[in-house]
Amino acid sequence: MLYINMIKNDMKNEFLKFIKEYNIDYLIIYIIRNKIAIRILSICKEKLKEDFNYSEFINLDICKGNIINKVISSNEIIFNYSKEGSLPFIKGVLYEALIPIKFDEKIIGCIYLGNIQDKINNPDIEKLNKILKENMLELKNIEAIKVFYKTTIEDAILINELFKIKSQFMSNHAYNVASWAIQIAKKMNYSEEELTKVYLASLLHDIGKIFIDEKILNKKGNLTEEEYNIMKKHVELGYNIIKDKFLINDDDSIPRWIYEHHERWDGKGFPKRLKGDEITKEGRILRIADALDAMISEKSYKNPKDLKEAILELKACKGKNFDPYITDVAIEIINERLISLSPVLDDVFLPSKVIIKTKNISINLDGYIFKEKNNIIFLSTSLIPDIENERIDDANLIFEKLNTLYEYKAQLEIIDTNKFIIKHLKSLDEGKTFSIPWLLSGKLIDPSTRKAYEITITKISGDSLVFTLKEGENLDQSKLYIITVNFEDGTSIPLTGKILKNINIQSINHYTFEYAGIKESFRDEIFRQIFRKQVNLKRILK
């Protein structure tokens, strides 16, 4: 789930020597804890890739056909030929051997050996056990850290669920900040391990707000001096919460970054009024990622800015609020996003929804997606009905990233009581007329009642648009509506049409609106506006 480089080179080299000596393509070590097999270590020959068929945490009660269950029940080495029906642990592997790891006659794990072409013939088990015993303490330490990071992610999910109750404006904030922060850190050549830590710090940066009064969090307009001083306390509260949690791995970096995420480059921030390089680099990344999401997202006290305005504000605050170099990196990332070069699914995890259709039922599941090496995993926070005997006819994965909705057709494979592997993603935007993510204001008008709703348009094309509306309003999909789109140059155009669908993610309704009977001159104007937007942005970014 998360890349943490805990493997010492000495141990890794010993196992590499072993697989070379005995002509083994892949070696994996699993530790079993409460019927969960945890992938602790995986090694392969040079030029081979690890494309796993199973999650990093395998629920053996769900994956009853997994060979590890046979190892446990038989208490002996199991040899497997994957063409005989069982799913190999790694794609492309034909020959497998699983060797039990025992402690006081109890199986606590297993060693997996896999070959693509050659049978596995008599590997030296005693030699393998010797390497294992010499490094068991280190392997158990890796197990503890993996479980720790897994539970930290689960804690972040729980905290987000609590934030959804306290403030509708905070539910996506942590994920948006994490998305901006990890993109900035990647541009700054952070390692995979460092990226994981930056992502976790971003997700947890506002955890202290759990203890701030909801009236202050949701207040419309400016805070009083007293309220602002209360709000500022969330930094220290968050630091103390996270400091205690990270005692297990003796690492105070994440708590420190959280503590510093409101410090400013010019020394006018809080809580310590640190200046310039006195602030950790990661604290400076969190500062700009936090501010950037605040600019472009709707808050209780303000409407969102578009990306053009955000770029201008970043430039104006460069060297004051923000580190000058990191500001330039952030602007470069915005540019890439606007011309669709930034990867959509490169975040550690995102709030999402899966819609499953079978012959008899349709199921909506809320949850989160995250990556495990080459696999995308969906973790459901909704109760999953028993669909074991149902054939899945259709499945869609939907998620929001940086205020834009993404939809994909997908294939699902259940791996746990609340987990699926997501396979063969295909964007539902493919084949549509040219569209652009764009935050625009607008009004939705119901001609039958003359009622008008303020909306935020997040994506627009020549035949449809996507807009958001706060939860609580249920729009009739059978009605014809009029949407007035307000472009940045002052141009407004009315578009008639119908709502095709409504998707609720993180308490925000995302409506897809398809035009019906609009004038071709209005459609031409949309394309002209999209073209001008791209030209203007390139001019700003020079």
Side-chain angles (χ1 to χ4, degrees):
M1 177 159 54
L2 297 168
Y3 187 99
I4 304 295
N5 186 17
M6 301 165 290
I7 302 168
K8 290 184 177 178
N9 286 331
D10 289 347
M11 178 174 68
K12 186 175 181 179
N13 289 335
E14 287 186 70
F15 284 115
L16 275 171
K17 285 179 186 176
F18 179 88
I19 65 173
K20 286 178 182 176
E21 183 178 350
Y22 292 94
N23 197 28
I24 303 294
D25 292 332
Y26 296 95
L27 181 148
I28 308 173
I29 294 174
Y30 287 96
I31 297 293
I32 299 168
R33 177 191 283 210
N34 299 327
K35 295 293 284 181
I36 303 290
I38 306 168
R39 189 170 67 233
I40 303 298
L41 173 70
S42 61
I43 291 172
C44 63
K45 284 182 179 176
E46 288 182 34
K47 297 183 181 179
L48 290 178
K49 67 174 184 177
E50 296 171 319
D51 197 355
F52 297 104
N53 277 318
Y54 291 97
S55 168
E56 188 175 22
F57 293 80
I58 305 172
N59 187 324
L60 298 174
D61 283 331
I62 297 295
C63 302
K64 295 185 185 297
N66 190 287
I67 312 170
I68 294 177
N69 280 314
K70 292 183 182 179
V71 175
I72 294 169
S73 60
S74 67
N75 200 18
E76 60 184 29
I77 300 173
I78 298 291
F79 291 92
N80 181 59
Y81 179 53
S82 66
K83 278 196 173 179
E84 293 177 351
S86 62
L87 187 69
F89 281 74
I90 298 171
K91 292 173 185 175
V93 166
L94 286 179
Y95 299 97
E96 300 175 305
L98 280 88
I99 304 155
I101 301 171
K102 299 179 185 179
F103 181 76
D104 286 344
E105 297 306 312
K106 180 184 176 182
I107 294 178
I108 62 166
C110 66
I111 302 169
Y112 168 91
L113 305 176
N115 275 354
I116 296 170
Q117 292 182 333
D118 302 324
K119 283 187 177 182
I120 298 169
N121 294 315
N122 301 318
D124 190 334
I125 304 300
E126 286 188 14
K127 187 172 184 177
L128 198 53
N129 276 330
K130 182 175 180 293
I131 300 171
L132 196 67
K133 286 177 182 178
E134 288 172 352
N135 293 282
M136 183 53 74
L137 185 62
E138 185 62 27
L139 291 168
K140 292 297 285 183
N141 181 56
I142 295 171
E143 175 197 357
I145 298 296
K146 278 183 177 276
V147 171
F148 165 73
Y149 275 94
K150 179 177 182 288
T151 57
T152 300
I153 287 290
E154 290 166 353
D155 288 348
I157 290 171
L158 177 60
I159 290 161
N160 183 66
E161 295 298 310
L162 293 173
F163 274 144
K164 280 172 21 181
I165 298 168
K166 281 184 76 78
S167 172
Q168 69 183 69
F169 300 103
M170 290 187 64
S171 58
N172 272 349
H173 176 62
Y175 301 101
N176 290 342
V177 171
S179 183
W180 287 117
I182 204 168
Q183 290 179 73
I184 291 168
K186 280 184 177 179
K187 282 284 184 186
M188 295 169 67
N189 297 317
Y190 273 52
S191 69
E192 291 293 333
E193 181 181 1
E194 291 168 332
L195 289 172
T196 293
K197 291 171 69 176
V198 167
Y199 200 91
L200 279 176
S202 304
L203 288 177
L204 299 168
H205 77 282
D206 271 345
I207 188 173
K209 287 184 179 177
I210 286 288
F211 298 103
I212 303 299
D213 193 303
E214 292 175 32
K215 292 177 182 177
I216 295 176
L217 290 177
N218 297 311
K219 183 177 179 180
K220 294 183 178 180
N222 295 329
L223 299 177
T224 65
E225 185 177 354
E226 182 184 359
E227 289 169 335
Y228 183 58
N229 287 332
I230 292 171
M231 179 71 87
K232 288 197 294 185
K233 290 180 181 177
H234 81 273
V235 172
E236 191 165 352
L237 290 167
Y239 169 77
N240 287 324
I241 294 167
I242 299 304
K243 179 183 66 174
D244 291 342
K245 182 168 182 60
F246 278 79
L247 286 174
I248 188 171
N249 62 350
D250 194 28
D251 184 355
D252 69 347
S253 56
I254 289 178
R256 184 180 174 191
W257 303 341
I258 290 171
Y259 190 66
E260 294 177 350
H261 81 273
H262 276 290
E263 299 288 1
R264 291 173 40 140
W265 182 257
D266 61 8
K268 295 180 181 179
F270 64 87
K272 293 293 186 183
R273 298 180 71 86
L274 300 178
K275 183 178 181 180
D277 290 336
E278 293 174 354
I279 312 163
T280 59
K281 187 166 55 177
E282 293 76 16
R284 285 175 263 151
I285 290 173
L286 290 187
R287 170 67 178 164
I288 200 167
D290 187 30
L292 186 51
D293 182 61
M295 292 176 202
I296 66 172
S297 297
E298 185 178 5
K299 301 293 181 184
S300 60
Y301 52 87
K302 71 166 193 68
N303 291 321
K305 295 182 177 182
D306 64 30
L307 288 172
K308 175 182 174 182
E309 292 173 308
I311 290 166
L312 294 173
E313 186 165 337
L314 287 175
K315 287 184 173 181
C317 296
K318 180 178 173 180
K320 299 172 185 175
N321 272 3
F322 311 128
D323 177 311
Y325 171 69
I326 296 174
T327 303
D328 290 338
V329 173
I331 291 171
E332 183 182 350
I333 289 164
I334 294 172
N335 184 29
E336 290 178 355
R337 179 170 179 257
L338 287 163
I339 57 176
S340 301
L341 292 178
S342 59
V344 173
L345 277 166
D346 63 349
D347 290 44
V348 175
F349 77 105
L350 290 166
S352 58
K353 181 186 286 285
V354 164
I355 300 174
I356 300 171
K357 292 181 181 178
T358 72
K359 182 179 179 181
N360 300 308
I361 54 175
S362 178
I363 306 163
N364 290 311
L365 300 175
D366 292 313
Y368 299 81
I369 51 171
F370 58 87
K371 295 182 76 173
E372 282 185 3
K373 294 212 171 178
N374 297 318
N375 289 327
I376 297 170
I377 309 295
F378 175 76
L379 172 67
S380 175
T381 56
S382 307
L383 182 65
I384 301 178
D386 184 8
I387 56 172
E388 189 173 338
N389 298 318
E390 296 272 355
R391 184 173 70 86
I392 296 176
D393 294 324
D394 192 33
N396 287 358
L397 169 68
I398 305 159
F399 60 91
E400 180 190 1
K401 179 177 177 180
L402 301 176
N403 303 315
T404 301
L405 198 70
Y406 296 90
E407 299 181 68
Y408 293 85
K409 276 197 172 296
Q411 291 181 13
L412 307 179
E413 178 186 319
I414 192 161
I415 57 172
D416 205 337
T417 50
N418 63 338
K419 279 186 188 176
F420 296 93
I421 291 180
I422 306 288
K423 297 181 176 180
H424 307 301
L425 290 174
K426 182 179 180 181
S427 173
L428 294 181
D429 279 338
E430 287 182 13
K432 291 187 178 180
T433 58
F434 181 64
S435 66
I436 182 173
W438 196 355
L439 289 180
L440 296 168
S441 64
K443 279 190 177 179
L444 176 88
I445 302 165
D446 183 344
S448 64
T449 64
R450 297 186 178 274
K451 188 171 182 180
Y453 304 87
E454 295 289 336
I455 62 172
T456 300
I457 296 159
T458 58
K459 187 186 291 186
I460 189 166
S461 74
D463 51 24
S464 65
L465 59 81
V466 178
F467 68 89
T468 61
L469 192 65
K470 295 185 183 71
E471 194 172 38
E473 298 287 354
N474 293 312
L475 301 177
D476 187 345
Q477 292 186 220
S478 67
K479 282 187 174 182
L480 198 68
Y481 290 96
I482 300 170
I483 286 183
T484 301
V485 182
N486 300 320
F487 289 102
E488 294 169 356
D489 63 358
T491 302
S492 293
I493 57 171
L495 303 169
T496 55
K498 283 191 173 183
I499 293 167
L500 286 183
K501 58 186 174 183
N502 169 28
I503 296 167
N504 186 285
I505 295 182
Q506 296 292 97
S507 302
I508 302 293
N509 290 317
H510 299 260
Y511 292 93
T512 300
F513 179 82
E514 187 175 60
Y515 316 143
I518 69 168
K519 294 180 179 179
E520 283 306 309
S521 60
F522 290 163
R523 200 186 308 273
D524 291 342
E525 181 61 31
I526 291 170
F527 284 122
R528 277 195 293 270
Q529 290 286 344
I530 290 172
F531 177 73
R532 287 176 195 154
K533 174 72 172 176
Q534 296 282 21
V535 170
N536 288 338
L537 283 165
K538 287 177 182 177
R539 188 180 297 126
I540 291 167
L541 291 160
K542 284 180 180 178

